[in-house]
Amino acid sequence: MHNRLKKEIVLVEGSRVFESWKNPPPPVYMEYFFFNITNVDEVLLGAKPKVQQVGPYTYREYRYKDNVSMVENGTMVSAYNTKSFVFLREKSVGDPAVDIITTVNIPGWAVMNKVKGNFFKSLMVNAMGVEVFTNRTVQGLLWGYEDALLTKVSASQPDVETTFGLMYKKNGSNDGEFVYHTGVNDYMDYGRVETWKGESQLTFWKSDHSNSINGSDGSAFHPLLDKKERIYIFTPDLCRTIYMDFEKDVKVKGIPAYRFTPPRSVLASKVENPDNAGFCVTPQECLGTGLLKVSPCRKGAPVVASFPHFYLGEDKFAEAIDGMSPQREHHQTFLDLNPTTGIIVRANKRAQINILLQRITGFPKTKNLKETIFPVMFLNESVEIDDNSAARVQKLLLISNLVSNFPLFIVGLGVIMLLILIVLLVKARRQKQTSAEDDTSYSPVSNKDKDDPQNGAYIGLTSKSEQQA
């Protein structure tokens, strides 16, 4: 049965999983939560930021593999992961086109960090007018708005994009070409990423270990999972590979699953986890456990990634912001995988986008700021297997269990039949002995004893029938 699973769970035309891999049937939802700052003036004077979480703003995420083609004699497959988003008002707290959020002015901070240390450029940016915080609609923050400062900068630098949005150009687009292993040669390679954008290694970080592209893209996992193994996932959003370890057994719609979650060591400091030293491009990039500065792959912008509410991070980051409350139930990232098939039965991907606030020489508005990791938004991308897919998986698991346990059933049936045979043999033997006893008895030759002076009374054998006669 395992050999058959290995042969059928492969990324080739006609296999059981190929169509669902290209067009996943379960609905995927993307929730966005924003942090609205309520004491801007006080923060500019050096006070502790106070934020209020606003959300979710929920979108149905449609994803499919585009331009799929087999390469390397069918041992690999090339594809683009295209995603599009449709707003769901009934699952949201408000209208993204109306609701206003007060947050960090990310384009302004990006420009200030770009020109810091250059007196004349800093002077020019100050003259253009740069603000530390901004008021924007949720729609603008997500999908893009025309920024006045970027427009002015683009006049002298035409390559500068004048529109900014956290999800700008991500609706109906893709992250670039992926080449995956089909699993034909080795089932353990099923869905493993070989190259991204034509490269097998990243170039953002300082070490080969940090630049490595390992595991899948999070959409496919090999069958016959083991609790002791570590799951690797390459995530373009973080510009790196992360890993997950087994946490516990769970059940989703009657389907058994292993829950895998990223441990603290994934975003640990280089002191806690020396393997993470390569993510510190400069000493200033190492911010501590629970944070990853992704500036190298975000055009130098001071963007910092973390788990929501700084979950699994050092306490000081959550304590620096009034309104942070990290909770495992709401902020943990996890994958629930059926161990037999490797199919995702439930998943929650949760990540937070932050901005590093600090004093920048040449910009007076930042002079009183305390160095703070300021939370802008966190997302929750969730999926749960649909009922039709769950029924097919349950049927497959039932067949697998029956086939796997058939030898035990045969052995058990044989034991039962053997016991029945023994019981019947014992019973037949007893009946035979009873019949023999009934056919033979001991009695005197006559009613009158014959005395033998030497041997006593004489007793002879005669059949019972003769005696009765």
Side-chain angles (χ1 to χ4, degrees):
M1 189 64 191
H2 286 178
N3 287 335
R4 185 169 180 178
L5 281 172
K6 293 174 186 178
K7 291 178 181 178
E8 293 202 9
I9 300 183
V10 290
L11 297 178
V12 296
E13 290 285 356
S15 72
R16 284 180 177 269
V17 296
F18 195 60
E19 286 303 319
S20 61
W21 175 75
K22 290 195 296 183
N23 297 286
V28 180
Y29 297 100
M30 181 71 87
E31 297 176 318
Y32 298 100
F33 298 83
F34 288 86
F35 296 103
N36 186 60
I37 184 168
T38 60
N39 63 335
V40 170
D41 295 336
E42 291 83 353
V43 171
L44 289 174
L45 295 174
K48 179 179 179 179
K50 294 181 180 179
V51 299
Q52 180 182 15
Q53 180 176 299
V54 182
Y57 294 91
T58 307
Y59 292 77
R60 170 72 188 272
E61 179 181 333
Y62 295 89
R63 47 169 64 194
Y64 61 92
K65 301 289 193 299
D66 199 11
N67 292 333
V68 178
S69 58
M70 306 306 296
V71 295
E72 300 293 330
N73 296 322
T75 61
M76 295 187 192
V77 58
S78 168
Y80 291 81
N81 299 324
T82 303
K83 299 178 183 179
S84 58
F85 302 87
V86 177
F87 180 64
L88 301 177
R89 182 64 182 88
E90 68 277 9
K91 290 181 175 289
S92 304
V93 297
D95 187 345
V98 175
D99 295 352
I100 302 293
I101 301 293
T102 302
T103 186
V104 176
N105 182 16
I106 299 178
W109 278 95
V111 172
M112 287 189 287
N113 276 273
K114 192 75 172 177
V115 302
K116 68 180 178 181
N118 188 311
F119 175 77
F120 293 105
K121 288 185 177 181
S122 298
L123 199 63
M124 289 176 61
V125 172
N126 274 306
M128 292 177 185
V130 59
E131 297 296 332
V132 175
F133 295 97
T134 187
N135 299 312
R136 298 289 174 181
T137 64
V138 170
Q139 176 114 354
L141 287 172
L142 280 177
W143 308 111
Y145 61 89
E146 195 80 11
D147 185 78
L149 178 60
L150 294 178
T151 301
K152 293 174 183 177
V153 171
S154 68
S156 58
Q157 299 184 39
D159 61 325
V160 172
E161 181 69 64
T162 60
T163 301
F164 169 79
L166 295 168
M167 295 291 291
Y168 180 55
K169 291 184 176 180
K170 289 185 178 293
N171 197 349
S173 63
N174 59 73
D175 295 319
E177 184 191 32
F178 282 81
V179 174
Y180 306 90
H181 286 263
T182 61
V184 170
N185 290 337
D186 186 348
Y187 80 98
M188 292 291 287
D189 285 337
Y190 169 74
R192 182 169 67 83
V193 177
E194 175 66 17
T195 63
W196 176 56
K197 293 184 176 179
E199 302 292 335
S200 58
Q201 281 276 108
L202 303 174
T203 57
F204 305 121
W205 313 108
K206 285 181 62 178
S207 69
D208 290 340
H209 176 79
S210 299
N211 281 319
S212 62
I213 297 177
N214 293 328
S216 76
D217 66 348
S219 64
F221 298 89
H222 69 79
L224 308 178
L225 290 163
D226 191 284
K227 292 180 179 180
K228 296 179 181 179
E229 71 178 290
R230 175 167 276 181
I231 300 294
Y232 289 89
I233 301 171
F234 172 66
T235 59
D237 293 334
L238 292 178
C239 312
R240 62 163 290 185
T241 298
I242 66 169
Y243 52 85
M244 297 186 180
D245 294 332
F246 172 80
E247 182 185 68
K248 62 181 179 180
D249 289 285
V250 295
K251 268 198 171 185
V252 181
K253 295 185 177 180
I255 300 172
Y258 292 166
R259 172 162 293 182
F260 289 87
T261 63
R264 178 182 168 97
S265 59
V266 170
L267 296 181
S269 67
K270 64 180 181 179
V271 177
E272 286 189 34
N273 183 6
D275 289 339
N276 287 343
F279 296 112
C280 303
V281 177
T282 65
Q284 291 75 27
E285 310 295 319
C286 293
L287 302 174
T289 294
L291 303 178
L292 175 67
K293 193 171 183 182
V294 293
S295 302
C297 64
R298 289 292 178 266
K299 298 181 180 179
V303 179
V304 179
S306 71
F307 292 116
H309 287 247
F310 303 108
Y311 174 70
L312 293 183
E314 295 179 40
D315 294 338
K316 65 180 182 180
F317 301 125
E319 293 169 354
I321 306 291
D322 192 349
M324 294 290 99
S325 178
Q327 299 174 30
R328 180 195 195 102
E329 179 184 358
H330 301 295
H331 305 138
Q332 182 190 50
T333 291
F334 66 83
L335 271 173
D336 293 342
L337 305 175
N338 174 252
T340 303
T341 62
I343 291 173
I344 301 171
V345 293
R346 182 170 55 197
N348 278 84
K349 172 189 171 184
R350 293 158 172 158
Q352 182 169 295
I353 297 173
N354 313 277
I355 296 295
L356 174 60
L357 300 186
Q358 60 185 348
R359 298 183 186 92
I360 300 179
T361 304
F363 295 94
K365 292 182 180 179
T366 68
K367 66 179 182 179
N368 294 320
L369 291 177
K370 292 182 179 178
E371 184 170 313
T372 309
I373 307 298
F374 186 87
V376 176
M377 173 199 80
F378 83 82
L379 57 87
N380 176 27
E381 189 177 27
S382 62
V383 63
E384 184 173 307
I385 190 169
D386 60 288
D387 292 339
N388 291 335
S389 298
R392 287 196 296 270
V393 173
Q394 287 172 343
K395 183 179 179 180
L396 177 63
L397 294 177
L398 177 62
I399 295 171
S400 176
N401 289 332
L402 287 175
V403 172
S404 301
N405 294 321
F406 192 70
L408 295 178
F409 172 75
I410 294 298
V411 171
L413 185 62
V415 170
I416 293 172
M417 293 178 69
L418 180 61
L419 291 175
I420 293 173
L421 178 62
I422 293 172
V423 169
L424 292 175
L425 287 173
V426 170
K427 188 175 181 181
R429 185 179 181 84
R430 287 180 177 175
Q431 288 177 344
K432 187 175 181 181
Q433 289 177 346
T434 303
S435 176
E437 290 176 356
D438 289 342
D439 292 340
T440 306
S441 65
Y442 299 89
S443 61
V445 174
S446 64
N447 291 333
K448 183 180 179 180
D449 294 340
K450 295 182 179 180
D451 295 333
D452 186 336
Q454 293 182 351
N455 299 314
Y458 175 78
I459 298 176
L461 290 177
T462 182
S463 68
K464 190 173 181 180
S465 55
E466 291 176 356
Q467 180 188 4
Q468 290 175 350

